[in-house]
PDB file of all heavy atoms in Angstrom:
ATOM      1  N   MET N 676     -10.388 -20.137 -11.158  1.00 98.00           N
ATOM      2  CA  MET N 676     -11.860 -20.147 -11.244  1.00 98.00           C
ATOM      3  C   MET N 676     -12.279 -21.365 -12.060  1.00 98.00           C
ATOM      4  O   MET N 676     -12.366 -21.302 -13.278  1.00 98.00           O
ATOM      5  CB  MET N 676     -12.337 -18.867 -11.925  1.00 98.00           C
ATOM      6  CG  MET N 676     -11.715 -17.588 -11.343  1.00 98.00           C
ATOM      7  SD  MET N 676     -12.327 -16.085 -12.129  1.00 98.00           S
ATOM      8  CE  MET N 676     -11.571 -16.143 -13.733  1.00 98.00           C
ATOM      9  N   ASP N 677     -12.546 -22.459 -11.399  1.00 98.00           N
ATOM     10  CA  ASP N 677     -12.789 -23.702 -12.131  1.00 98.00           C
ATOM     11  C   ASP N 677     -14.191 -24.256 -11.842  1.00 98.00           C
ATOM     12  O   ASP N 677     -14.738 -24.055 -10.760  1.00 98.00           O
ATOM     13  CB  ASP N 677     -11.723 -24.732 -11.724  1.00 98.00           C
ATOM     14  CG  ASP N 677     -11.600 -25.867 -12.739  1.00 98.00           C
ATOM     15  OD1 ASP N 677     -12.154 -25.742 -13.846  1.00 98.00           O
ATOM     16  OD2 ASP N 677     -10.940 -26.873 -12.419  1.00 98.00           O
ATOM     17  N   GLY N 678     -14.757 -24.951 -12.828  1.00 98.00           N
ATOM     18  CA  GLY N 678     -16.019 -25.656 -12.621  1.00 98.00           C
ATOM     19  C   GLY N 678     -17.202 -25.097 -13.397  1.00 98.00           C
ATOM     20  O   GLY N 678     -18.338 -25.533 -13.192  1.00 98.00           O
ATOM     21  N   ASN N 679     -16.945 -24.166 -14.309  1.00 98.00           N
ATOM     22  CA  ASN N 679     -18.057 -23.597 -15.088  1.00 98.00           C
ATOM     23  C   ASN N 679     -18.778 -24.658 -15.913  1.00 98.00           C
ATOM     24  O   ASN N 679     -20.013 -24.692 -15.977  1.00 98.00           O
ATOM     25  CB  ASN N 679     -17.549 -22.531 -16.065  1.00 98.00           C
ATOM     26  CG  ASN N 679     -17.004 -21.304 -15.368  1.00 98.00           C
ATOM     27  OD1 ASN N 679     -17.117 -21.168 -14.152  1.00 98.00           O
ATOM     28  ND2 ASN N 679     -16.405 -20.406 -16.133  1.00 98.00           N
ATOM     29  N   GLY N 680     -17.976 -25.506 -16.565  1.00 98.00           N
ATOM     30  CA  GLY N 680     -18.558 -26.527 -17.442  1.00 98.00           C
ATOM     31  C   GLY N 680     -19.416 -27.497 -16.660  1.00 98.00           C
ATOM     32  O   GLY N 680     -20.555 -27.805 -17.060  1.00 98.00           O
ATOM     33  N   ARG N 681     -18.893 -27.965 -15.516  1.00 98.00           N
ATOM     34  CA  ARG N 681     -19.661 -28.920 -14.694  1.00 98.00           C
ATOM     35  C   ARG N 681     -20.928 -28.275 -14.146  1.00 98.00           C
ATOM     36  O   ARG N 681     -21.973 -28.906 -14.051  1.00 98.00           O
ATOM     37  CB  ARG N 681     -18.783 -29.448 -13.548  1.00 98.00           C
ATOM     38  CG  ARG N 681     -17.886 -30.582 -13.980  1.00 98.00           C
ATOM     39  CD  ARG N 681     -16.785 -30.812 -13.003  1.00 98.00           C
ATOM     40  NE  ARG N 681     -15.700 -29.838 -13.179  1.00 98.00           N
ATOM     41  CZ  ARG N 681     -14.666 -29.734 -12.374  1.00 98.00           C
ATOM     42  NH1 ARG N 681     -14.563 -30.517 -11.324  1.00 98.00           N
ATOM     43  NH2 ARG N 681     -13.716 -28.847 -12.627  1.00 98.00           N
ATOM     44  N   ARG N 690     -22.107 -25.764 -21.960  1.00 98.00           N
ATOM     45  CA  ARG N 690     -20.992 -25.251 -21.135  1.00 98.00           C
ATOM     46  C   ARG N 690     -20.923 -23.725 -21.122  1.00 98.00           C
ATOM     47  O   ARG N 690     -20.565 -23.113 -20.123  1.00 98.00           O
ATOM     48  CB  ARG N 690     -19.668 -25.822 -21.648  1.00 98.00           C
ATOM     49  CG  ARG N 690     -19.477 -27.300 -21.382  1.00 98.00           C
ATOM     50  CD  ARG N 690     -18.178 -27.795 -22.026  1.00 98.00           C
ATOM     51  NE  ARG N 690     -17.009 -27.119 -21.488  1.00 98.00           N
ATOM     52  CZ  ARG N 690     -16.387 -27.488 -20.376  1.00 98.00           C
ATOM     53  NH1 ARG N 690     -16.800 -28.538 -19.699  1.00 98.00           N
ATOM     54  NH2 ARG N 690     -15.341 -26.814 -19.942  1.00 98.00           N
ATOM     55  N   ASN N 725      -5.934 -23.891 -22.506  1.00 98.00           N
ATOM     56  CA  ASN N 725      -7.368 -23.776 -22.837  1.00 98.00           C
ATOM     57  C   ASN N 725      -7.607 -23.506 -24.329  1.00 98.00           C
ATOM     58  O   ASN N 725      -8.722 -23.685 -24.823  1.00 98.00           O
ATOM     59  CB  ASN N 725      -8.061 -22.693 -21.990  1.00 98.00           C
ATOM     60  CG  ASN N 725      -8.223 -23.064 -20.528  1.00 98.00           C
ATOM     61  OD1 ASN N 725      -8.237 -22.196 -19.657  1.00 98.00           O
ATOM     62  ND2 ASN N 725      -8.371 -24.359 -20.232  1.00 98.00           N
ATOM     63  N   ARG N 728      -9.272 -26.250 -26.385  1.00 98.00           N
ATOM     64  CA  ARG N 728     -10.720 -26.573 -26.302  1.00 98.00           C
ATOM     65  C   ARG N 728     -11.381 -26.387 -27.663  1.00 98.00           C
ATOM     66  O   ARG N 728     -10.826 -25.707 -28.536  1.00 98.00           O
ATOM     67  CB  ARG N 728     -11.368 -25.666 -25.254  1.00 98.00           C
ATOM     68  CG  ARG N 728     -10.845 -26.000 -23.868  1.00 98.00           C
ATOM     69  CD  ARG N 728     -11.664 -25.334 -22.788  1.00 98.00           C
ATOM     70  NE  ARG N 728     -11.159 -25.712 -21.478  1.00 98.00           N
ATOM     71  CZ  ARG N 728     -11.775 -25.499 -20.342  1.00 98.00           C
ATOM     72  NH1 ARG N 728     -12.958 -24.898 -20.342  1.00 98.00           N
ATOM     73  NH2 ARG N 728     -11.246 -25.872 -19.204  1.00 98.00           N
ATOM     74  N   ARG N 845      -8.707 -22.517  -5.196  1.00 98.00           N
ATOM     75  CA  ARG N 845      -9.176 -23.179  -6.412  1.00 98.00           C
ATOM     76  C   ARG N 845     -10.546 -23.767  -6.120  1.00 98.00           C
ATOM     77  O   ARG N 845     -10.731 -24.482  -5.134  1.00 98.00           O
ATOM     78  CB  ARG N 845      -8.232 -24.281  -6.897  1.00 98.00           C
ATOM     79  CG  ARG N 845      -8.747 -24.894  -8.219  1.00 98.00           C
ATOM     80  CD  ARG N 845      -7.767 -25.822  -8.894  1.00 98.00           C
ATOM     81  NE  ARG N 845      -8.307 -26.205 -10.205  1.00 98.00           N
ATOM     82  CZ  ARG N 845      -7.590 -26.500 -11.268  1.00 98.00           C
ATOM     83  NH1 ARG N 845      -6.277 -26.446 -11.215  1.00 98.00           N
ATOM     84  NH2 ARG N 845      -8.170 -26.851 -12.410  1.00 98.00           N
ATOM     85  N   SER N 847     -14.093 -25.964  -7.412  1.00 98.00           N
ATOM     86  CA  SER N 847     -14.536 -27.167  -8.143  1.00 98.00           C
ATOM     87  C   SER N 847     -13.918 -28.465  -7.643  1.00 98.00           C
ATOM     88  O   SER N 847     -14.129 -29.512  -8.243  1.00 98.00           O
ATOM     89  CB  SER N 847     -14.322 -27.047  -9.658  1.00 98.00           C
ATOM     90  OG  SER N 847     -13.044 -27.510 -10.042  1.00 98.00           O
ATOM     91  N   GLU N 849     -10.903 -29.612  -7.669  1.00 98.00           N
ATOM     92  CA  GLU N 849      -9.622 -30.088  -8.220  1.00 98.00           C
ATOM     93  C   GLU N 849      -8.496 -29.575  -7.341  1.00 98.00           C
ATOM     94  O   GLU N 849      -8.533 -28.434  -6.879  1.00 98.00           O
ATOM     95  CB  GLU N 849      -9.410 -29.565  -9.652  1.00 98.00           C
ATOM     96  CG  GLU N 849     -10.530 -29.818 -10.629  1.00 98.00           C
ATOM     97  CD  GLU N 849     -10.830 -31.290 -10.842  1.00 98.00           C
ATOM     98  OE1 GLU N 849     -10.031 -32.139 -10.413  1.00 98.00           O
ATOM     99  OE2 GLU N 849     -11.884 -31.583 -11.420  1.00 98.00           O
ATOM    100  N   ARG N 851      -5.010 -29.077  -8.021  1.00 98.00           N
ATOM    101  CA  ARG N 851      -3.786 -28.944  -8.829  1.00 98.00           C
ATOM    102  C   ARG N 851      -3.637 -27.487  -9.246  1.00 98.00           C
ATOM    103  O   ARG N 851      -4.577 -26.690  -9.160  1.00 98.00           O
ATOM    104  CB  ARG N 851      -3.824 -29.869 -10.039  1.00 98.00           C
ATOM    105  CG  ARG N 851      -5.029 -29.699 -10.925  1.00 98.00           C
ATOM    106  CD  ARG N 851      -4.959 -30.587 -12.174  1.00 98.00           C
ATOM    107  NE  ARG N 851      -6.238 -30.566 -12.881  1.00 98.00           N
ATOM    108  CZ  ARG N 851      -7.179 -31.516 -12.770  1.00 98.00           C
ATOM    109  NH1 ARG N 851      -6.990 -32.560 -11.984  1.00 98.00           N
ATOM    110  NH2 ARG N 851      -8.313 -31.414 -13.441  1.00 98.00           N
ATOM    111  N   SER N 853      -2.401 -26.422 -12.364  1.00 98.00           N
ATOM    112  CA  SER N 853      -2.699 -26.204 -13.784  1.00 98.00           C
ATOM    113  C   SER N 853      -1.910 -25.047 -14.409  1.00 98.00           C
ATOM    114  O   SER N 853      -2.483 -24.194 -15.097  1.00 98.00           O
ATOM    115  CB  SER N 853      -4.211 -26.007 -13.994  1.00 98.00           C
ATOM    116  OG  SER N 853      -4.926 -27.141 -13.572  1.00 98.00           O
TER     117      SER N 853
HETATM  118 MG1   MG O1789     -11.867 -26.936 -15.514  1.00 82.98          MG
END
Side-chain angles (χ1 to χ4, degrees):
M676 311 182 288
D677 199 12
N679 293 353
R681 277 163 281 173
R690 289 176 61 84
N725 289 151
R728 293 192 178 192
R845 183 170 187 150
S847 89
E849 307 299 348
R851 55 176 170 261
S853 300

